[in-house]
Amino acid sequence: MLVAPPKTEVAPPVVKQSQHPKGTLFLIGLYGVVFAAAWFAVYFFVYLRRGGVTP
Amino acid sequence: MTRSDRLSLAHLWVAIAAFGVASAMALMQALSRASLDLPWRSAKMYYLSVTAHGVLMALVFTTFFIMAFGYVVVSRTLDQEPTGLKLAWAGFWIALVGTLMAAVTVLSGRATVLYTFYPPLQAHPAFYIGLTLVIVGSWCWSVVMLLSYRTWRGTRPDRPAPLPMHGMIATVIVWLIATIGVAAEVLFQLIPWSLGWSKTVDPVLARMLFWYFGHPLVYFWLLPAYVLWYTVLPKVVGGKLFSDPLARLVFVMFILFSTPVGFHHQFMDPGVSAGWKLLHTFLTFAILFPSFITAFTVTASMEVGGRAKGATGLLDWIGKLPWRDPLFSSVALSMILFAVGGIGGAINASFGMNAVVHNTAFIQGHFHLTVGSAVALTFMGAAYWLLPRLSGRELELPLLARVQPYLWFVGMVLFSFSNHLTGLMGMPRRIYDASYGGSTVAAAWRGLTGLSAIGGVFLFASAAFFMLVMLGTGLAGKRITPQRVEWAEPLQPAAPGRGWFDRYWVWTAVAVVLVLIAYAYPLWMHLQMTRYGSPGFKPY
């Protein structure tokens, strides 16, 4: 008589609670740099170059 | 199907229909701006389609989708039907009648006033009355949402509000405060003026009231998208919400700071002094912070999900995310586009720098990354997730659903980035013919307007895919037992009691005080000045 092999339970994904989200911190930090760089680029190379007029 | 699901579905289908019509209008505009010689092309048709696209996409699609989602949140987080179902249906029919009135008026060429309906451009009274009915319908929805929460709170006085409901209550509060402005503008200025009861209108006052409403309108669109990002996305990626308190704090910050920022749309307007404009500049920068917190918390939640699937490196968790799931890809791609939109938003909001982008194509490039991506793409992704769960039908054409968010992303990159650049080069927004009669300055924009048109074609194809999936599912989807609507758990359990974040009356009172500080004196000053009214103009 054939006996079915015991089913192996698939463990649910383990959600680690103690780790810092290093990848997220890296991405957010990178975004902060791009954000500031883009703002200053428009400020220096577009706004000031056109005379820096304030309404 | 429950009575609540039938209510949600009715709203969802109106949203989808509005989206379909608005998308068709958008293609015509993108091709027209590239000066393609289309047989039906005319200035009249162009401005009619800009108005229809703006009204149907920004006011109708969003509002009906948000109302549909609000009822889903009530029924699936409070475990009860919405309190006041009759009022909810009354709100639906009132808003639908209003939508039809406004849409017919626009499409018949009697309300070519753009979605901002700035006077002295004048529309047929049916347009203003129709939009008023849409707002009244949304107020019915707001009351039902608040009554439902009160019913739930009555039996559970010591529990924190479920996070999705917390976000939707914040949405309702922002909406009720914001719509006071547009209601005052339409009821006391535009309807009497369009009916001929008053000969002239004060455009400066109308613009102040419109932008009192117009900027928090952005957060009315955005907050339900954030609810999805915080409470559904972590579940879809197999993770958990990184921080429940940070999410609650974000929604409270939006209650406080959404409204007192409208003058940053009026930096070039007379009638508001520089000091008040500068105050609104600072407050506008304050409203960037909850979005920064959201970017961190939602991305961290995705990282939690990716690491739960075995990722160990700095960024390899990104590859573990379910990029073939249309809800996930919609939200993730919309977040990337929104991050770029945030940079443009900071430039718009800078008091001095605004002068170089004001009323240029930069603005339409910007808001297509915010409302056109963060909001619309999230809502499309959510529709793939919601429709089968509400209708009990399997999602049809899943390949199209899988491809559609990527098409939207590519189209939006081409469309929006080229508009940012042409805007910085000086190209105005809302122009029918970008060639300016063959001027040499305008010739420099030519390649980029062509790129923008190609982006428009991608976006139209994406919108068509979305419509095919929706219609295929709704009309021919295989009957299935609907999956449950499941919400993400936080990484750390939420605090058990009813905390300060749930004290909505307190936050509403503080928000009203901030609104009074930001608006009462400038409005009073304006009303003291000699005001010059304008008659109405109907160029088309």
Side-chain angles (χ1 to χ4, degrees):
Chain A
M1 194 170 85
L2 289 173
V3 179
K7 284 183 182 170
T8 51
E9 295 268 328
V10 179
V14 177
V15 179
K16 295 178 182 173
Q17 303 198 6
S18 57
Q19 285 187 343
H20 290 294
K22 292 174 193 162
T24 299
L25 289 169
F26 172 77
L27 289 176
I28 296 296
L30 185 66
Y31 175 63
V33 171
V34 172
F35 188 99
W39 192 93
F40 279 110
V42 175
Y43 181 75
F44 285 113
F45 301 119
V46 181
Y47 174 63
L48 289 185
R49 190 172 284 182
R50 293 181 189 174
V53 176
T54 301
Chain B
M1 189 186 297
T2 64
R3 292 191 298 176
S4 174
D5 286 356
R6 200 168 294 127
L7 181 67
S8 295
L9 264 180
H11 286 80
L12 188 60
W13 279 116
V14 176
I16 291 166
F19 177 88
V21 178
S23 302
M25 296 290 163
L27 178 67
M28 194 191 305
Q29 292 158 52
L31 298 180
S32 179
R33 286 169 69 90
S35 302
L36 294 177
D37 212 4
L38 305 172
W40 60 83
R41 184 170 176 249
S42 69
K44 180 179 179 179
M45 185 60 83
Y46 174 79
Y47 289 109
L48 184 154
S49 77
V50 174
T51 307
H53 175 70
V55 168
L56 290 174
M57 199 67 100
L59 300 178
V60 178
F61 163 62
T62 50
T63 303
F64 273 89
F65 183 90
I66 291 164
M67 292 196 288
F69 183 58
Y71 293 134
V72 171
V73 168
V74 166
S75 64
R76 300 307 205 281
T77 65
L78 306 185
D79 293 325
Q80 64 184 42
E81 286 199 327
T83 305
L85 264 177
K86 282 183 182 168
L87 181 62
W89 276 110
F92 169 78
W93 287 111
I94 290 169
L96 182 60
V97 168
T99 296
L100 293 173
M101 280 176 73
V104 168
T105 317
V106 171
L107 294 173
S108 62
R110 286 175 291 169
T112 304
V113 290
L114 312 178
Y115 109 95
T116 41
F117 48 87
Y118 292 143
L121 287 177
Q122 193 180 52
H124 189 279
F127 173 77
Y128 302 120
I129 294 168
L131 289 187
T132 303
L133 293 178
V134 174
I135 299 284
V136 171
S138 74
W139 284 346
C140 295
W141 168 80
S142 301
V143 171
V144 172
M145 294 293 291
L146 294 175
L147 287 176
S148 303
Y149 176 70
R150 196 179 70 168
T151 304
W152 178 86
R153 175 58 72 200
T155 55
R156 299 163 183 85
D158 297 324
R159 281 176 56 179
L163 182 56
M165 196 62 198
H166 176 73
M168 293 312 295
I169 292 287
T171 307
V172 167
I173 295 169
V174 168
W175 185 240
L176 289 176
I177 294 174
T179 45
I180 293 168
V182 74
E185 181 197 2
V186 173
L187 291 178
F188 299 124
Q189 288 192 283
L190 301 185
I191 290 178
W193 174 61
S194 67
L195 287 168
W197 298 346
S198 57
K199 296 291 176 206
T200 60
V201 70
D202 176 355
V204 177
L205 178 62
R207 287 167 66 90
M208 286 170 83
L209 293 172
F210 181 85
W211 284 115
Y212 169 96
F213 156 79
H215 199 79
L217 170 66
V218 173
Y219 302 113
F220 171 68
W221 299 328
L222 197 57
L223 293 193
Y226 279 9
V227 171
L228 284 154
W229 295 7
Y230 277 116
T231 65
V232 178
L233 193 75
K235 188 80 184 174
V236 173
V237 301
K240 292 192 172 187
L241 174 62
F242 185 74
S243 170
D244 180 271
L246 271 182
R248 288 175 193 272
L249 173 66
V250 160
F251 289 114
V252 168
M253 289 177 82
F254 276 113
I255 294 174
L256 299 182
F257 297 118
S258 285
T259 308
V261 295
F263 288 162
H264 80 251
H265 291 264
Q266 294 179 266
F267 285 155
M268 298 297 130
D269 282 19
V272 183
S273 70
W276 288 103
K277 289 175 179 174
L278 194 61
L279 173 69
H280 282 229
T281 300
F282 291 132
L283 288 167
T284 306
F285 275 89
I287 201 73
L288 284 174
F289 281 97
S291 287
F292 288 153
I293 296 171
T294 299
F296 170 78
T297 312
V298 176
T299 310
S301 304
M302 288 194 251
E303 184 173 346
V304 169
R307 296 205 182 283
K309 291 173 184 164
T312 52
L314 185 66
L315 295 175
D316 62 338
W317 50 272
I318 296 172
K320 303 275 185 188
L321 298 174
W323 291 97
R324 291 160 66 87
D325 181 312
L327 171 59
F328 173 77
S329 58
S330 296
V331 172
L333 296 174
S334 78
M335 284 179 70
I336 295 169
L337 294 170
F338 190 48
V340 182
I343 300 170
I347 292 166
N348 292 338
S350 300
F351 187 19
M353 263 205 291
N354 180 274
V356 296
V357 297
H358 188 83
N359 257 344
T360 70
F362 188 96
I363 303 301
Q364 76 214 21
H366 165 70
F367 68 68
H368 278 86
L369 292 179
T370 51
V371 64
S373 297
V375 175
L377 190 51
T378 295
F379 287 179
M380 284 186 269
Y384 296 135
W385 172 78
L386 264 182
L387 188 58
R389 285 166 172 78
L390 292 176
S391 66
R393 289 180 181 270
E394 196 172 48
L395 196 72
E396 285 294 311
L397 305 170
L399 181 62
L400 295 191
R402 211 174 289 154
V403 171
Q404 181 268 327
Y406 294 93
L407 269 181
W408 192 271
F409 181 80
V410 172
M412 201 53 88
V413 167
L414 293 172
F415 174 84
S416 186
F417 288 12
S418 56
N419 276 292
H420 277 90
L421 291 174
T422 48
L424 288 174
M425 292 161 73
M427 183 171 126
R429 66 187 285 209
R430 291 170 161 173
I431 49 166
Y432 154 62
D433 181 0
S435 72
Y436 270 77
S439 106
T440 48
V441 173
W445 310 332
R446 196 64 189 262
L448 287 166
T449 54
L451 205 58
S452 163
I454 295 170
V457 173
F458 270 91
L459 289 167
F460 180 71
S462 174
F465 281 16
F466 172 73
M467 292 302 294
L468 284 172
V469 175
M470 289 293 106
L471 294 174
T473 304
L475 299 174
K478 198 172 86 182
R479 296 271 182 196
I480 53 168
T481 306
Q483 283 181 281
R484 289 183 61 223
V485 172
E486 294 185 314
W487 310 99
E489 296 290 323
L491 206 51
Q492 303 286 342
R498 185 183 178 192
W500 269 98
F501 290 129
D502 290 10
R503 308 288 172 181
Y504 299 112
W505 283 113
V506 175
W507 304 124
T508 305
V510 177
V512 169
V513 169
L514 283 172
V515 166
L516 289 174
I517 290 171
Y519 269 103
Y521 187 73
L523 263 175
W524 182 79
M525 279 295 288
H526 179 75
L527 295 174
Q528 300 308 306
M529 287 193 288
T530 305
R531 290 153 61 212
Y532 301 96
S534 171
F537 291 91
K538 295 176 182 172
Y540 300 106

